[in-house]
Amino acid sequence: MTITADEHLAHGYADLPGLMSLMTGDEKHGPAATSTLDVLWVLYDRVLRVTPERAEDPGRDRFLLSKGHGPMAYYAVLAAKGFLPVGWLPGFGSYDSPLGHHPDRMLVPGAEIGSGSLGHGLPIGVGTALGLRAQGLDDPAVWVLIGDAELDEGSNHEAIAFAGPAGLDRLHTVVVDNASASHARPGGIAARFEAAGWSAVTADGRDHAALYEAFTAPHPGHPHVVVARVEPKNA
């Protein structure tokens, strides 16, 4: 495990709940954010090839947060990894803080997109993967984190249907499944992606070893989705 020195402290996975506790105020969406914490940590700690020093490197991996109720966990992980100061966390959501309820790519170091309406992250991920391909940048991976309830949005299904036949094998999606979708059936998430030509793996969203194995599973010629199942939340 890597750790990052920030403000003379070393931050690891065990510090994340404490970092999240610094963020107070309304509309925190704490339970929904917590459901993404392990996924985010494993990605940033062991998978994504991006660091604060490489945040503008064309060869970096891209991570796109689409899950609208995930910013608390996202900010905690970014702070732990040195992308932003821990001192910013207590101001979360205040009028003069760069850390809004939806990340702003112009204000948050390391943020690739400005999150907002549910259902737009995966289409942007498809466009990002196509753009990298057009530039001849075949090495960077694109990762998109969405929530299972976002699959109620039709724009995601258009992106899913396009990416498989297009062979966007540098595109990866993580669906955090906390049983909050309105229109869902058990096992249906992975099956939906597979029907469109994606590689799909379902894993325990709290098991770091299982997540790492799922994230790094080979999928030549196909985009890849990991369905990370966590305890149900009402958010």
Side-chain angles (χ1 to χ4, degrees), residues 96-115:
D96 58 350
S97 172
L99 306 182
H101 293 297
H102 296 288
D104 185 330
R105 67 178 300 273
M106 303 302 293
L107 300 176
V108 179
E112 295 283 354
I113 62 171
S115 300

Side-chain angles (χ1 to χ4, degrees), residues 49-100:
R49 295 170 302 174
V50 62
T51 63
E53 296 75 26
R54 293 191 65 196
E56 301 298 328
D57 184 345
R60 73 190 183 280
D61 288 345
R62 273 72 166 172
F63 173 79
L64 284 61
L65 177 70
S66 186
K67 182 176 170 61
H69 290 175
M72 273 187 74
Y74 184 44
Y75 294 150
V77 170
L78 287 179
K81 288 298 179 183
F83 287 87
L84 55 88
V86 170
W88 285 11
L89 298 180
F92 168 64
S94 62
Y95 76 95
D96 58 350
S97 172
L99 306 182

